[in-house]
Protein backbone atom coordinates (compact mmCIF):
# COMPACT_ATOMS: atom_id res chain seq x y z
CA UNK A 1 0.00 0.00 0.00
CA UNK A 2 1.37 3.50 -0.83
CA UNK A 3 2.57 5.40 2.22
CA UNK A 4 1.15 8.62 3.60
CA UNK A 5 3.44 11.60 4.03
CA UNK A 6 4.87 12.20 7.49
CA UNK A 7 3.11 15.57 7.67
CA UNK A 8 -0.21 13.95 6.75
CA UNK A 9 0.17 11.51 9.63
CA UNK A 10 1.32 14.14 12.13
CA UNK A 11 -1.30 16.74 11.28
CA UNK A 12 -3.66 17.08 14.27
CA UNK A 13 -7.42 16.80 13.97
CA UNK A 14 -9.49 19.92 14.52
CA UNK A 15 -10.15 20.35 18.26
CA UNK A 16 -13.72 21.44 17.56
CA UNK A 17 -14.57 18.85 14.87
CA UNK A 18 -12.74 15.71 16.04
CA UNK A 19 -15.74 14.44 18.02
CA UNK A 20 -18.16 14.93 15.11
CA UNK A 21 -18.53 11.15 14.46
CA UNK A 22 -19.84 10.71 18.01
CA UNK A 23 -22.27 13.61 17.54
CA UNK A 24 -23.48 12.09 14.26
CA UNK A 25 -24.02 8.75 15.99
CA UNK A 26 -25.99 10.43 18.78
CA UNK A 27 -28.21 12.16 16.23
CA UNK A 28 -28.78 8.82 14.49
CA UNK A 29 -30.03 7.45 17.83
CA UNK A 30 -32.55 10.29 18.00
CA UNK A 31 -30.69 12.46 20.52
CA UNK A 32 -30.85 16.20 19.86
CA UNK A 33 -27.29 17.56 19.94
CA UNK A 34 -26.80 21.20 20.94
CA UNK A 35 -23.60 22.55 19.41
CA UNK A 36 -21.34 24.70 21.57
CA UNK A 37 -18.25 23.20 19.97
CA UNK A 38 -17.81 25.36 16.88
CA UNK A 39 -17.97 29.07 16.07
CA UNK A 40 -20.84 28.79 13.60
CA UNK A 41 -23.18 31.69 14.47
CA UNK A 42 -26.94 31.39 14.08
CA UNK A 43 -27.20 35.17 13.58
CA UNK A 44 -28.87 35.89 10.25
CA UNK A 45 -26.51 36.69 7.38
CA UNK A 46 -27.33 40.23 6.17
CA UNK A 47 -30.01 39.97 3.42
CA UNK A 48 -28.21 42.60 1.32
CA UNK A 49 -25.24 40.26 1.05
CA UNK A 50 -27.40 37.42 -0.20
CA UNK A 51 -29.22 39.74 -2.59
CA UNK A 52 -25.93 40.88 -4.13
CA UNK A 53 -25.31 37.35 -5.37
CA UNK A 54 -28.93 36.49 -6.16
CA UNK A 55 -29.38 39.62 -8.28
CA UNK A 56 -25.98 39.55 -10.01
CA UNK A 57 -26.08 39.48 -13.78
CA UNK A 58 -23.44 36.89 -14.60
CA UNK A 59 -23.06 35.18 -17.97
CA UNK A 60 -19.65 33.61 -17.31
CA UNK A 61 -18.25 33.14 -13.81
CA UNK A 62 -14.67 34.12 -14.59
CA UNK A 63 -11.49 34.10 -12.60
CA UNK A 64 -11.09 37.23 -10.55
CA UNK A 65 -7.69 38.98 -10.34
CA UNK A 66 -5.24 37.11 -8.12
CA UNK A 67 -5.43 39.77 -5.39
CA UNK A 68 -9.21 40.03 -5.66
CA UNK A 69 -11.57 42.39 -7.44
CA UNK A 70 -10.34 46.02 -7.23
CA UNK A 71 -13.85 47.23 -6.37
CA UNK A 72 -13.97 44.96 -3.31
CA UNK A 73 -10.45 45.79 -2.20
CA UNK A 74 -11.25 49.53 -2.32
CA UNK A 75 -14.45 49.07 -0.33
CA UNK A 76 -12.71 46.85 2.20
CA UNK A 77 -9.99 49.50 2.58
CA UNK A 78 -12.78 51.98 3.29
CA UNK A 79 -14.08 49.72 6.08
CA UNK A 80 -10.61 49.55 7.63
CA UNK A 81 -10.19 53.31 7.39
CA UNK A 82 -13.54 53.90 9.13
CA UNK A 83 -12.32 51.93 12.14
CA UNK A 84 -8.98 53.73 12.27
CA UNK A 85 -6.69 51.36 10.38
CA UNK A 86 -4.40 53.06 7.80
CA UNK A 87 -5.07 50.59 4.98
CA UNK A 88 -5.39 51.22 1.26
CA UNK A 89 -6.51 48.81 -1.44
CA UNK A 90 -2.92 48.09 -2.45
CA UNK A 91 -2.23 46.67 1.04
CA UNK A 92 -4.95 44.02 0.66
CA UNK A 93 -4.81 40.59 -0.91
CA UNK A 94 -8.18 38.81 -0.85
CA UNK A 95 -7.95 35.20 0.32
CA UNK A 96 -10.09 32.10 0.43
CA UNK A 97 -11.15 32.62 4.02
CA UNK A 98 -8.96 33.56 6.93
CA UNK A 99 -7.42 30.09 6.72
CA UNK A 100 -5.69 30.86 3.43
CA UNK A 101 -4.43 34.15 4.85
CA UNK A 102 -2.87 32.18 7.71
CA UNK A 103 -1.37 29.65 5.31
CA UNK A 104 0.16 32.44 3.21
CA UNK A 105 1.63 33.97 6.37
CA UNK A 106 3.24 30.69 7.39
CA UNK A 107 4.53 30.10 3.86
CA UNK A 108 6.04 33.56 3.42
CA UNK A 109 7.22 34.59 6.89
CA UNK A 110 9.01 31.36 7.82
CA UNK A 111 11.44 28.77 6.53
CA UNK A 112 11.21 25.16 7.73
CA UNK A 113 12.73 24.97 11.20
CA UNK A 114 11.86 28.56 12.11
CA UNK A 115 9.88 29.38 15.24
CA UNK A 116 6.74 31.37 16.04
CA UNK A 117 5.81 32.56 19.54
CA UNK A 118 2.10 32.24 20.36
CA UNK A 119 0.36 33.07 23.66
CA UNK A 120 -1.32 29.86 24.80
CA UNK A 121 -4.10 28.68 24.62
CA UNK A 122 -4.52 29.58 20.95
CA UNK A 123 -6.66 28.79 17.90
CA UNK A 124 -6.03 25.07 17.41
CA UNK A 125 -5.45 25.07 13.62
CA UNK A 126 -2.32 27.21 14.13
CA UNK A 127 -0.64 23.91 15.02
CA UNK A 128 -1.76 22.46 11.68
CA UNK A 129 -0.45 25.39 9.66
CA UNK A 130 2.85 25.10 11.52
CA UNK A 131 3.04 21.36 10.84
CA UNK A 132 2.49 21.62 7.08
CA UNK A 133 5.11 24.38 6.76
CA UNK A 134 7.73 22.86 9.08
CA UNK A 135 7.46 25.68 11.64
CA UNK A 136 7.95 25.12 15.37
CA UNK A 137 5.31 26.63 17.65
CA UNK A 138 6.77 28.02 20.88
CA UNK A 139 3.88 28.47 23.33
CA UNK A 140 3.92 31.20 25.93
CA UNK A 141 1.43 30.12 28.60
CA UNK A 142 -1.39 32.31 29.88
CA UNK A 143 -3.65 31.11 32.67
CA UNK A 144 -7.36 30.82 33.38
CA UNK A 145 -6.86 32.07 36.93
CA UNK A 146 -5.37 35.28 35.50
CA UNK A 147 -8.10 35.77 32.90
CA UNK A 148 -5.78 34.57 30.12
CA UNK A 149 -4.11 37.98 29.99
CA UNK A 150 -0.99 38.37 27.87
CA UNK A 151 2.02 36.92 29.70
CA UNK A 152 4.63 39.47 30.82
CA UNK A 153 6.65 40.69 27.86
CA UNK A 154 9.78 39.38 29.59
CA UNK A 155 8.42 35.85 29.21
CA UNK A 156 8.00 36.28 25.48
CA UNK A 157 11.41 37.94 25.15
CA UNK A 158 13.05 35.04 27.00
CA UNK A 159 11.76 32.63 24.34
CA UNK A 160 13.15 34.55 21.37
CA UNK A 161 15.97 32.62 19.69
CA UNK A 162 17.94 32.98 16.48
CA UNK A 163 15.22 30.89 14.78
CA UNK A 164 12.30 33.08 15.93
CA UNK A 165 10.65 34.86 13.01
CA UNK A 166 7.28 36.06 14.34
CA UNK A 167 4.81 36.47 17.16
CA UNK A 168 1.25 35.40 16.38
CA UNK A 169 -1.77 36.69 18.28
CA UNK A 170 -5.52 36.40 17.86
CA UNK A 171 -7.26 39.60 18.95
CA UNK A 172 -9.90 39.27 20.36
CA UNK A 173 -8.67 35.84 21.24
CA UNK A 174 -10.09 32.53 20.13
CA UNK A 175 -10.48 30.50 22.37
CA UNK A 176 -10.23 32.74 25.47
CA UNK A 177 -12.09 35.92 24.50
CA UNK A 178 -9.21 38.05 25.80
CA UNK A 179 -8.79 41.48 24.15
CA UNK A 180 -5.23 42.83 24.01
CA UNK A 181 -4.70 46.33 25.39
CA UNK A 182 -2.92 49.05 23.46
CA UNK A 183 0.06 49.00 25.84
CA UNK A 184 0.39 45.22 25.44
CA UNK A 185 0.36 45.55 21.66
CA UNK A 186 2.98 48.31 21.85
CA UNK A 187 5.20 46.01 23.90
CA UNK A 188 4.77 43.22 21.37
CA UNK A 189 5.57 45.53 18.47
CA UNK A 190 8.66 46.87 20.26
CA UNK A 191 9.86 43.30 20.80
CA UNK A 192 9.34 42.60 17.10
CA UNK A 193 11.20 45.76 16.14
CA UNK A 194 14.06 44.87 18.47
CA UNK A 195 14.50 41.39 16.97
CA UNK A 196 13.30 42.12 13.41
CA UNK A 197 10.23 39.88 13.70
CA UNK A 198 6.79 39.87 12.14
CA UNK A 199 3.76 40.52 14.32
CA UNK A 200 0.90 38.46 12.88
CA UNK A 201 -2.50 39.65 14.10
CA UNK A 202 -5.52 37.40 13.50
CA UNK A 203 -8.49 39.79 13.81
CA UNK A 204 -11.52 37.65 12.91
CA UNK A 205 -13.53 38.96 15.89
CA UNK A 206 -12.56 42.64 16.03
CA UNK A 207 -16.16 43.89 15.94
CA UNK A 208 -17.10 41.91 19.04
CA UNK A 209 -15.43 43.63 21.99
CA UNK A 210 -17.58 44.24 25.06
CA UNK A 211 -15.80 45.93 27.98
CA UNK A 212 -12.54 46.50 26.11
CA UNK A 213 -11.51 48.76 23.23
CA UNK A 214 -10.26 47.03 20.08
CA UNK A 215 -6.84 48.15 18.86
CA UNK A 216 -5.05 46.66 15.88
CA UNK A 217 -1.24 46.66 16.02
CA UNK A 218 -1.39 48.03 12.47
CA UNK A 219 -2.60 51.31 14.03
CA UNK A 220 0.59 51.72 16.07
CA UNK A 221 3.57 53.88 15.02
CA UNK A 222 6.31 51.84 13.38
CA UNK A 223 3.97 48.99 12.41
CA UNK A 224 4.33 49.13 8.63
CA UNK A 225 7.19 46.70 8.06
CA UNK A 226 6.35 44.31 10.91
CA UNK A 227 2.57 43.90 11.20
CA UNK A 228 0.41 41.55 9.16
CA UNK A 229 -3.36 41.53 9.68
CA UNK A 230 -5.14 38.26 8.92
CA UNK A 231 -8.84 38.80 8.43
CA UNK A 232 -12.10 37.11 7.44
CA UNK A 233 -15.75 38.05 6.95
CA UNK A 234 -16.89 34.69 8.37
CA UNK A 235 -17.66 35.78 11.92
CA UNK A 236 -18.10 39.50 11.30
CA UNK A 237 -21.16 39.01 9.11
CA UNK A 238 -22.17 35.43 10.03
CA UNK A 239 -20.96 34.37 6.59
CA UNK A 240 -18.68 31.41 7.29
CA UNK A 241 -19.57 29.67 4.02
CA UNK A 242 -18.56 32.58 1.79
CA UNK A 243 -14.86 31.74 2.33
CA UNK A 244 -13.57 35.29 1.95
CA UNK A 245 -10.67 36.60 3.99
CA UNK A 246 -7.80 39.04 3.58
CA UNK A 247 -4.05 39.24 4.00
CA UNK A 248 -3.24 42.85 4.89
CA UNK A 249 0.24 44.32 5.10
CA UNK A 250 2.10 47.51 4.24
CA UNK A 251 5.32 45.53 3.85
CA UNK A 252 5.65 45.53 0.04
CA UNK A 253 8.28 42.78 -0.17
CA UNK A 254 6.09 40.48 1.91
CA UNK A 255 3.02 41.40 -0.13
CA UNK A 256 4.78 40.44 -3.36
CA UNK A 257 5.88 37.10 -1.94
CA UNK A 258 2.32 36.34 -0.87
CA UNK A 259 1.06 37.41 -4.29
CA UNK A 260 3.19 34.70 -5.91
CA UNK A 261 1.68 32.05 -3.65
CA UNK A 262 -1.78 33.45 -4.41
CA UNK A 263 -1.13 32.98 -8.11
CA UNK A 264 -0.82 29.24 -7.49
CA UNK A 265 -4.50 29.10 -6.56
CA UNK A 266 -5.28 31.61 -9.37
CA UNK A 267 -8.02 33.63 -7.68
CA UNK A 268 -10.23 33.87 -4.60
CA UNK A 269 -13.93 32.90 -4.90
CA UNK A 270 -15.78 35.20 -7.31
CA UNK A 271 -19.29 34.89 -5.89
CA UNK A 272 -17.91 35.21 -2.38
CA UNK A 273 -16.35 38.56 -3.29
CA UNK A 274 -19.70 39.88 -4.53
CA UNK A 275 -21.11 38.77 -1.21
CA UNK A 276 -18.30 40.45 0.73
CA UNK A 277 -18.45 43.67 -1.27
CA UNK A 278 -22.07 44.14 -0.20
CA UNK A 279 -20.99 43.55 3.41
CA UNK A 280 -18.30 46.24 3.18
CA UNK A 281 -21.05 48.77 2.41
CA UNK A 282 -23.03 48.03 5.58
CA UNK A 283 -23.11 50.94 8.07
CA UNK A 284 -21.26 50.65 11.39
CA UNK A 285 -24.66 50.46 13.12
CA UNK A 286 -25.09 46.97 11.63
CA UNK A 287 -22.97 45.58 14.46
CA UNK A 288 -25.01 47.16 17.26
CA UNK A 289 -27.64 44.43 17.46
CA UNK A 290 -25.20 41.57 16.81
CA UNK A 291 -22.78 42.76 19.47
CA UNK A 292 -25.58 43.25 22.02
CA UNK A 293 -26.91 39.75 21.32
CA UNK A 294 -23.52 38.11 21.75
CA UNK A 295 -22.96 40.00 24.97
CA UNK A 296 -26.34 38.82 26.30
CA UNK A 297 -25.46 35.24 25.36
CA UNK A 298 -22.08 35.56 27.05
CA UNK A 299 -23.66 36.82 30.25
CA UNK A 300 -26.17 33.96 30.19
CA UNK A 301 -23.45 31.33 29.76
CA UNK A 302 -21.36 32.88 32.53
CA UNK A 303 -24.35 32.97 34.90
CA UNK A 304 -25.21 29.35 34.21
CA UNK A 305 -21.63 28.07 34.42
CA UNK A 306 -20.93 29.85 37.69
CA UNK A 307 -24.00 28.21 39.22
CA UNK A 308 -22.50 24.74 38.57
CA UNK A 309 -20.43 23.40 41.51
CA UNK A 310 -16.74 23.14 40.72
CA UNK A 311 -16.84 25.06 37.43
CA UNK A 312 -14.47 28.02 37.00
CA UNK A 313 -14.33 30.53 34.15
CA UNK A 314 -13.07 34.08 33.64
CA UNK A 315 -15.16 36.74 31.90
CA UNK A 316 -14.18 37.01 28.23
CA UNK A 317 -14.20 40.59 26.96
CA UNK A 318 -14.44 39.80 23.26
CA UNK A 319 -15.17 37.22 20.52
CA UNK A 320 -17.83 34.60 21.36
CA UNK A 321 -15.99 31.89 23.28
CA UNK A 322 -15.51 30.95 26.91
CA UNK A 323 -12.85 28.66 28.35
CA UNK A 324 -14.15 26.89 31.45
CA UNK A 325 -12.42 24.54 33.88
CA UNK A 326 -14.67 21.61 34.77
CA UNK A 327 -14.52 19.21 37.74
CA UNK A 328 -13.74 16.20 35.51
CA UNK A 329 -10.80 13.85 35.14
CA UNK A 330 -10.33 14.59 31.43
CA UNK A 331 -12.39 17.01 29.33
CA UNK A 332 -12.03 15.02 26.10
CA UNK A 333 -13.23 11.86 27.82
CA UNK A 334 -16.11 13.84 29.30
CA UNK A 335 -17.03 15.43 25.96
CA UNK A 336 -17.09 12.04 24.26
CA UNK A 337 -19.13 10.56 27.12
CA UNK A 338 -21.73 13.32 26.71
CA UNK A 339 -22.23 12.21 23.10
CA UNK A 340 -21.91 8.45 23.53
CA UNK A 341 -23.56 7.63 26.84
CA UNK A 342 -25.57 10.60 28.11
CA UNK A 343 -28.71 12.51 27.32
CA UNK A 344 -30.91 14.81 29.34
CA UNK A 345 -34.55 14.79 28.29
CA UNK A 346 -33.52 13.60 24.83
CA UNK A 347 -30.80 16.22 24.42
CA UNK A 348 -27.05 16.43 24.88
CA UNK A 349 -24.36 19.03 24.25
CA UNK A 350 -21.24 18.98 22.08
CA UNK A 351 -18.27 20.89 23.49
CA UNK A 352 -14.63 21.35 22.46
CA UNK A 353 -11.98 19.83 24.74
CA UNK A 354 -9.45 22.58 25.36
CA UNK A 355 -6.33 20.41 25.12
CA UNK A 356 -6.49 20.94 21.35
CA UNK A 357 -5.88 24.65 21.90
CA UNK A 358 -2.59 24.05 23.74
CA UNK A 359 0.87 22.99 22.57
CA UNK A 360 2.15 22.33 26.11
CA UNK A 361 1.77 18.60 26.83
CA UNK A 362 -0.97 17.90 29.36
CA UNK A 363 -2.28 21.47 29.45
CA UNK A 364 -6.01 22.14 29.27
CA UNK A 365 -7.02 18.62 30.34
CA UNK A 366 -9.81 19.89 32.59
CA UNK A 367 -10.82 22.78 30.32
CA UNK A 368 -13.33 23.13 27.50
CA UNK A 369 -14.10 25.84 24.99
CA UNK A 370 -17.75 26.81 24.65
CA UNK A 371 -18.98 28.89 21.70
CA UNK A 372 -22.02 31.00 22.58
CA UNK A 373 -23.21 31.23 18.99
CA UNK A 374 -26.69 29.69 19.40
CA UNK A 375 -29.81 31.48 20.61
CA UNK A 376 -30.48 31.96 24.29
CA UNK A 377 -33.18 29.27 24.54
CA UNK A 378 -30.77 26.79 22.99
CA UNK A 379 -27.99 27.98 25.33
CA UNK A 380 -30.22 27.36 28.34
CA UNK A 381 -31.02 23.87 27.08
CA UNK A 382 -27.29 23.21 26.51
CA UNK A 383 -26.45 24.45 30.01
CA UNK A 384 -29.14 22.16 31.45
CA UNK A 385 -27.45 19.23 29.69
CA UNK A 386 -24.00 20.28 30.85
CA UNK A 387 -25.10 20.70 34.48
CA UNK A 388 -26.87 17.33 34.51
CA UNK A 389 -23.94 15.71 32.72
CA UNK A 390 -21.43 16.97 35.26
CA UNK A 391 -23.48 15.47 38.10
CA UNK A 392 -23.83 12.11 36.33
CA UNK A 393 -20.34 11.75 34.85
CA UNK A 394 -18.44 8.85 36.46
CA UNK A 395 -15.13 10.68 36.13
CA UNK A 396 -16.21 13.74 38.12
CA UNK A 397 -13.50 14.95 40.50
CA UNK A 398 -13.36 17.56 43.22
CA UNK A 399 -9.62 18.09 42.96
CA UNK A 400 -7.85 20.10 40.32
CA UNK A 401 -5.86 17.97 37.87
CA UNK A 402 -2.42 19.36 37.01
CA UNK A 403 -0.80 19.41 33.56
CA UNK A 404 0.81 16.00 34.02
CA UNK A 405 -2.33 14.49 35.54
CA UNK A 406 -1.30 14.66 39.20
CA UNK A 407 -4.00 15.45 41.72
CA UNK A 408 -3.48 18.73 43.60
CA UNK A 409 -5.51 20.60 46.15
CA UNK A 410 -8.34 19.13 48.24
Amino acid sequence: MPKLSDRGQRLPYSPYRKLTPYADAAKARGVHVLHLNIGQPDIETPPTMLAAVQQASIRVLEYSPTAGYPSYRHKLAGYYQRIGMPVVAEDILVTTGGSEALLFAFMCCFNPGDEVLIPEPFYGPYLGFAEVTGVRVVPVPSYLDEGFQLPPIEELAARVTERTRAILICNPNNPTGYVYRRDELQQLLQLCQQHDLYLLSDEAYREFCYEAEFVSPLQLPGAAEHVVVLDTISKRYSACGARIGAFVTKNKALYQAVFKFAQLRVSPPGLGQLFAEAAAELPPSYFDHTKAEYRARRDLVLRRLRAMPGVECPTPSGAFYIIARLPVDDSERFAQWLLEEFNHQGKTVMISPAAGFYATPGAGRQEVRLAYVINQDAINAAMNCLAAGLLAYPGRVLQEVGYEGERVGV
Side-chain angles (χ1 to χ4, degrees):
M1 179 181 293
K3 291 184 178 180
L4 294 172
S5 70
D6 291 343
R7 70 169 65 89
Q9 296 181 70
R10 291 193 303 264
L11 193 66
Y13 284 100
S14 163
Y16 44 82
R17 290 183 183 267
K18 66 183 298 183
L19 297 179
T20 296
Y22 301 102
D24 291 343
K27 293 172 186 177
R29 297 193 304 271
V31 177
H32 179 61
V33 179
L34 295 151
H35 287 272
L36 298 182
N37 62 298
I38 191 167
Q40 172 54 66
D42 68 355
I43 300 288
E44 182 184 33
T45 305
T48 55
M49 295 174 67
L50 299 171
V53 175
Q54 293 165 346
Q55 298 170 11
S57 178
I58 299 172
R59 187 177 66 85
V60 177
L61 188 58
E62 302 174 327
Y63 292 126
S64 74
T66 293
Y69 288 123
S71 58
Y72 174 49
R73 293 164 67 206
H74 280 283
K75 289 178 181 176
L76 183 57
Y79 158 78
Y80 290 131
Q81 292 163 13
R82 287 193 296 275
I83 61 174
M85 297 172 64
V87 174
V88 296
E90 292 72 24
D91 302 329
I92 299 169
L93 190 143
V94 181
T95 59
T96 307
S99 297
E100 189 176 67
L102 280 160
L103 179 60
F104 287 163
F106 274 82
M107 293 296 291
C108 294
C109 297
F110 305 94
N111 287 316
D114 286 344
E115 298 173 351
V116 57
L117 305 185
I118 314 180
E120 180 187 59
F122 50 74
Y123 179 50
Y126 293 161
L127 287 172
F129 291 117
E131 177 61 46
V132 299
T133 53
V135 175
R136 178 172 177 259
V137 169
V138 179
V140 186
S142 65
Y143 302 98
L144 184 145
D145 295 336
E146 298 173 355
F148 294 112
Q149 65 183 343
L150 182 70
I153 197 67
E154 293 80 11
E155 293 190 20
L156 284 98
R159 288 168 170 81
V160 174
T161 72
E162 62 181 12
R163 299 311 303 263
T164 307
R165 295 292 176 267
I167 298 171
L168 171 57
I169 61 171
C170 183
N171 186 34
N173 187 272
N174 173 9
T176 68
Y178 186 77
V179 179
Y180 293 97
R181 303 188 310 268
R182 182 181 295 270
D183 63 297
E184 292 174 322
L185 295 171
Q186 288 173 329
Q187 289 179 332
L188 289 173
L189 179 57
Q190 288 168 2
L191 184 61
C192 290
Q193 291 169 330
Q194 180 182 350
H195 294 279
D196 205 17
L197 310 177
Y198 292 107
L199 178 54
L200 309 177
S201 184
D202 182 347
E203 299 179 3
Y205 306 92
R206 75 165 65 84
E207 295 292 349
F208 307 124
C209 296
Y210 310 116
E211 291 79 20
E213 172 197 16
F214 172 77
V215 178
S216 171
L218 195 56
Q219 296 171 265
L220 303 177
E225 295 303 309
H226 296 272
V227 173
V228 178
V229 169
L230 309 165
D231 203 5
T232 174
I233 70 166
S234 292
K235 316 299 178 164
R236 194 152 69 233
Y237 303 108
S238 193
C240 298
R243 308 315 303 139
I244 294 294
F247 186 101
V248 183
T249 183
K250 304 188 83 65
N251 182 319
K252 296 308 179 186
L254 176 59
Y255 185 99
Q256 288 304 314
V258 170
F259 185 84
K260 289 186 286 186
F261 277 98
Q263 286 182 320
L264 295 178
R265 59 88 165 109
V266 185
S267 69
L271 290 178
Q273 289 179 80
L274 297 181
F275 201 70
E277 189 168 331
E281 296 175 333
L282 289 168
S285 60
Y286 160 75
F287 297 104
D288 293 347
H289 167 75
T290 307
K291 183 174 174 180
E293 175 61 21
Y294 281 137
R295 181 170 185 165
R297 294 178 183 186
R298 179 204 65 173
D299 293 347
L300 172 60
V301 173
L302 285 172
R303 186 164 63 250
R304 293 297 308 272
L305 287 174
R306 288 170 176 169
M308 300 178 197
V311 175
E312 301 171 83
C313 56
T315 299
S317 51
F320 40 60
Y321 305 101
I322 287 176
I323 290 278
R325 182 185 294 140
L326 306 182
V328 298
D329 56 352
D330 183 277
S331 63
E332 183 163 342
R333 190 177 298 128
F334 173 62
Q336 184 173 330
W337 176 86
L338 287 171
L339 297 170
E340 280 195 301
E341 303 182 41
F342 172 82
N343 78 80
H344 175 68
Q345 299 176 351
K347 301 181 180 70
T348 193
V349 60
M350 186 174 181
I351 56 182
S352 292
F357 299 94
Y358 285 86
T360 301
R365 281 190 56 213
Q366 281 188 292
E367 297 170 7
V368 295
R369 187 195 75 168
L370 307 176
Y372 47 93
V373 293
I374 56 178
N375 66 70
Q376 294 183 51
D377 288 341
I379 286 174
N380 268 319
M383 292 295 104
N384 291 342
C385 291
L386 182 60
L390 284 171
L391 292 176
Y393 178 55
R396 179 181 174 87
V397 295
L398 295 179
Q399 302 100 321
E400 179 181 345
V401 178
Y403 279 2
E404 302 302 324
E406 73 275 10
R407 299 294 176 96
V408 296
V410 295

